[in-house]
Amino acid sequence: MALPALVLGVAALAWAAHAALFSPYATVVGVPVDQPVPFSHQHHVGELGIDCRYCHGGVETSGFAGFPATETCMTCHSQIWRDAPMLEPVRQSWATGKPLRWKRVNDLPDYVYFDHSIHVQKGVACVSCHGRVDQMPLTAKAHDLHMRWCLDCHRTPDHRTQPSDQVFVMSDPPPAKQAPTAHGTRMEDCSLCHR
Amino acid sequence: MRQVARILRVVFFMASLMVFPCCRRDLADQQHHEPMEASSVFPDGSASRTPPEHTLARGQLHEDVLFYQGKMGGDHAAVFPAPVTRAQLERGRERYDIFCSVCHGSAGVGDGIVVQRGFPPPPSLHLDRLRDAPPGYFFEVITQGRGLMYPYGSRVEAADRWAIIAYIRALQLSRHATLADLNAEQRKKLEDSAHE
C-alpha cells in the first residue's frame, strides 16, 4: 500500500516539476516583454516590409545582432507619427541623448557563447530562432532557448539551414530536410558554446 | 567531537542546497556588461560608450579622403575609389533594398513604403540634376544626410556606401538604355520576350 503511493507521489512530483520548468511561465515563450515603447514588428516588418537589417545592422558581421540607435527610429519618426504620445519616450531620448531602456527578449545565460554572424552566414534563418516576428504586435520569445533546443539543430545542422537569400525572409521555415549530416564536425562539442 | 563534525557537515550540506539556486543565477548573469546593457557607472546609464570627442579607435584614422569622404581636391569626387565590379553592384542592390528603398523606392523614383505612409517624398534619383551629380556627392549625402534624410554614415559601411552609389548609377542608366547598347544575343532575348 505504502510503496505504490510513494511511487505515485514521486512520479506526480516529477511531472509537476517538469511541467512547471517548461511552462510558458518559466520559459516566458510567447509572453511579450513590457517595453518603454510598444514597438510592433508586425507593423514594421509584416506590413511595411522593412528588412531586419535596417535596424539590426550588426547581425551579419558581429556576435551581437545590433540594436537600433534612437537616430534610426527618428529617421522616419521625425516626420511620421511625430506627435504620437506613444513615441514620446523616443523623442525624449533624441532630445536628451539618453538611450531608450529596451528590455531584452532573448537573453542567453552568460555561460553560453553565442554569435549571430556565424549563424546567419551559415544559413540559419531569422525565423528559425525568433519565430514569425512579422506577426508579433509585441515582441516575445519564440523558443525556450534551452540547451536541448540548441542541440536539436546542432546535431543535424544540414537539415535546418536555408540558402543565403532565404535567411532574412519572414515565412514559415520549410520542414527539416532529410539530407545526410556531415559527421565528425565540432558542432556538438561542449567547448563550442561553453568557452 | 565527531558528533560536532557530523552536525557541521549536515549544516554545511543544507546551506549549500540553499545557496545552489543563487549560484545558478550568478553564473547566468555574471558581473560584466553586455553590448548596450544598462550600467550605473556612466551618467547616461549605458554600458556601450560613444568615443570621446577628438579620439579615434585603432584602424579608424581613415586617411583615404576619397574612400572615406568621397572628396578629391576638396570637391566631390567625380570617380569611384576603385573600378566597379559586378559583385559590388549586387552588393549595392542588396544594401539599397535594405536601407534606401524604404523611402526612395526600389526603382529610385521616391515612392518607398515610408513615403506612402506620409513621409515627404525625396527627389527622384532620375532627375537630370542627380544623373549629373558626381559619385562623391551621393557619398556625402548618404554619410551626412540632407534635408529630411538622416545620416547613414554610422549605419552603412563606407564600402557599402560606394556599392550603393554604383547601384544608383545602374538604376539611372536603366532608364536611358537604347537598343544600340545591347549585343546581338541580348537583343534577340529582348525581341523574343516582346513577342511572348
Side-chain angles (χ1 to χ4, degrees):
Chain A
M1 183 57 211
L3 192 63
L6 190 69
V7 169
L8 218 68
V10 169
L13 261 176
W15 177 84
H18 183 273
L21 212 61
F22 291 93
S23 69
Y25 178 78
T27 62
V28 294
V29 168
V31 181
V33 180
D34 207 19
Q35 302 285 6
V37 178
F39 179 86
S40 168
H41 277 96
Q42 184 181 50
H43 173 64
H44 290 86
V45 182
E47 293 164 22
L48 302 182
I50 297 173
D51 194 283
C52 310
R53 293 163 286 184
Y54 188 90
C55 300
H56 305 290
V59 75
E60 292 168 293
T61 50
S62 127
F64 185 61
F67 215 76
T70 303
E71 182 185 47
T72 303
C73 310
M74 290 301 288
T75 300
C76 296
H77 291 295
S78 65
Q79 300 296 319
I80 294 184
W81 294 88
R82 55 189 293 175
D83 300 316
M86 195 167 62
L87 295 179
E88 185 53 32
V90 180
R91 291 189 292 269
Q92 279 295 321
S93 162
W94 184 239
T96 60
K98 280 204 169 192
L100 284 160
R101 292 201 168 206
W102 299 102
K103 300 200 190 83
R104 286 200 77 139
V105 173
N106 295 285
D107 194 9
L108 286 169
D110 287 354
Y111 46 79
V112 179
Y113 173 83
F114 177 81
D115 187 310
H116 268 98
S117 65
I118 188 67
H119 287 84
V120 166
Q121 297 303 335
K122 295 292 180 184
V124 180
C126 304
V127 279
S128 300
C129 304
H130 296 292
R132 291 298 299 272
V133 169
D134 62 323
Q135 297 174 353
M136 294 181 191
L138 296 172
T139 314
K141 222 160 103 171
H143 294 283
D144 59 24
L145 310 185
H146 287 167
M147 182 169 143
R148 181 174 69 176
W149 173 80
C150 298
L151 280 174
D152 271 351
C153 200
H154 270 237
R155 289 207 172 104
T156 54
D158 302 351
H159 296 187
R160 318 274 182 151
T161 49
Q162 316 285 331
S164 61
D165 61 341
Q166 295 297 308
V167 168
F168 295 95
V169 174
M170 273 290 145
S171 58
D172 290 329
K177 290 166 266 178
Q178 292 303 315
T181 297
H183 284 286
T185 64
R186 292 185 55 237
M187 291 290 291
E188 286 174 73
D189 283 7
C190 307
S191 61
L192 190 65
C193 311
H194 302 292
R195 301 186 168 192
Chain B
M1 200 57 216
R2 281 177 64 183
Q3 192 72 22
V4 175
R6 188 177 299 170
I7 291 171
L8 274 179
R9 226 175 294 157
V10 170
V11 168
F12 178 77
F13 175 71
M14 290 179 74
S16 66
L17 276 184
M18 289 163 73
V19 165
F20 183 71
C22 312
C23 290
R24 191 253 160 212
R25 210 163 294 158
D26 280 349
L27 284 174
D29 196 6
Q30 295 163 23
Q31 286 209 333
H32 68 250
H33 285 133
E34 285 167 46
M36 296 189 186
E37 207 169 44
S39 164
S40 55
V41 177
F42 301 104
D44 70 354
S46 172
S48 297
R49 313 307 306 149
T50 47
E53 271 183 67
H54 311 299
T55 65
L56 286 171
R58 281 177 85 91
Q60 288 184 355
L61 188 50
H62 296 175
E63 281 176 299
D64 189 337
V65 176
L66 173 58
F67 188 77
Y68 288 105
Q69 295 176 26
K71 292 278 173 66
M72 250 180 133
D75 284 335
H76 294 134
V79 293
F80 284 81
V84 174
T85 62
R86 166 122 205 153
Q88 191 188 16
L89 275 174
E90 274 163 12
R91 174 79 181 174
R93 171 163 59 188
E94 186 189 68
R95 297 295 121 174
Y96 178 93
D97 287 344
I98 296 170
F99 292 102
C100 316
S101 68
V102 285
C103 284
H104 290 280
S106 45
V109 294
D111 62 348
I113 185 77
V114 177
V115 171
Q116 292 169 38
R117 298 300 175 104
F119 199 97
S124 164
L125 297 173
H126 303 289
L127 295 180
D128 284 344
R129 170 173 77 82
L130 293 175
R131 283 171 52 78
D132 295 338
Y137 171 77
F138 290 92
F139 192 88
E140 185 180 281
V141 172
I142 298 173
T143 308
Q144 300 175 10
R146 185 183 163 90
L148 296 179
M149 175 176 158
Y150 274 41
Y152 278 75
S154 62
R155 297 180 244 176
V156 183
E157 300 274 348
D160 283 341
R161 278 173 254 161
W162 287 113
I164 287 172
I165 298 164
Y167 182 63
I168 290 174
R169 279 284 184 258
L171 281 179
Q172 291 173 333
L173 272 176
S174 73
R175 300 244 160 162
H176 294 267
T178 63
L179 264 185
D181 294 331
L182 303 181
N183 63 30
E185 192 188 330
Q186 289 166 329
R187 191 180 293 203
K188 187 174 179 312
K189 205 172 156 189
L190 181 73
E191 279 162 1
D192 288 350
S193 67
H195 292 307
E196 273 168 14

